[in-house]
Amino acid sequence: MNKLISLRDHLIGAVAELKRNPDKLLTFIQDGRVAFHRGQHLSHEYRVPAQLVITDYSGTLDTVMIPLLQWLSRYQPDLDPDEAVTIEAEILDNKRWDLALTVQLTERVVALVDCDAGHINVEHRMPEYPIDPCPANAWQMSIKGPSDQDYKLAAEWSSD
């Protein structure tokens, strides 16, 4: 799935801990579906719950969630806001945890059949949906906790 690869690449580029060790990010698809219509054409849509697991993570949830939501806003904005992302975590100790996030992804595949030539052209579509106009491509995220006086730089990344 192109969308899952794109999301994975985005998180690796945006989350400092994953940038240093991309093997901490595991991706899975379970119980995915393929939607299609009978007939001569073979176009279809993948509908998959994509699970992103970050192992032995020592960062904050925000440093993962903000880049994830940024990517979803651009490539999967039609998600139900109440069900867009589910979270599971296992606390390993006071500084490390395993984090599992699940998002519903869809990817349209257009398969054009040329019966005369015996040829099928397949195109995976990954449209970008415009989000609020913002010219920045380089991002810095600062976080302020309840007992903090000031914001502290938590993450930096570039995005398209």
Side-chain angles (χ1 to χ4, degrees):
M1 264 200 82
N2 294 330
K3 275 192 177 179
L4 185 53
I5 292 167
S6 171
L7 175 54
R8 181 180 168 81
D9 289 345
H10 178 73
L11 290 176
I12 288 170
V15 179
E17 197 166 327
L18 296 178
K19 197 180 294 187
R20 286 189 302 273
N21 190 350
D23 291 337
K24 284 187 170 193
L25 178 59
L26 309 173
T27 50
F28 304 94
I29 294 174
Q30 289 184 308
D31 299 323
R33 307 259 190 272
V34 177
F36 77 101
H37 302 283
R38 295 178 199 202
Q40 187 171 338
H41 69 84
L42 300 173
S43 296
H44 57 281
E45 182 178 77
Y46 295 115
R47 297 176 183 171
V48 299
Q51 188 172 48
L52 309 158
V53 177
I54 303 173
T55 60
D56 202 33
Y57 186 61
S58 61
T60 68
L61 182 58
D62 290 335
T63 57
V64 175
M65 190 59 63
I66 296 297
L68 172 65
L69 295 176
Q70 183 185 45
W71 186 93
L72 289 173
S73 292
R74 176 163 286 156
Y75 295 106
Q76 198 70 55
D78 55 342
L79 292 175
D80 179 342
D82 294 329
E83 299 174 5
V85 181
T86 59
I87 302 171
E88 296 177 51
E90 179 181 355
I91 308 303
L92 303 174
D93 61 32
N94 287 338
K95 295 183 180 181
R96 299 173 308 113
W97 49 319
D98 289 343
L99 174 64
L101 304 167
T102 303
V103 297
Q104 299 296 321
L105 299 180
T106 59
E107 185 172 318
R108 181 119 173 88
V109 180
V110 177
L112 301 175
V113 177
D114 182 341
C115 293
D116 295 333
H119 189 82
I120 303 169
N121 286 324
V122 178
E123 178 186 350
H124 287 254
R125 298 217 171 140
M126 195 169 137
E128 287 186 46
Y129 297 89
I131 53 179
D132 293 336
C134 185
N137 288 328
W139 297 94
Q140 292 182 327
M141 181 177 64
S142 300
I143 298 175
K144 180 179 177 184
S147 60
D148 294 335
Q149 291 282 16
D150 296 312
Y151 288 92
K152 294 178 186 161
L153 182 64
E156 296 181 85
W157 69 92
S158 296
S159 67
D160 299 336

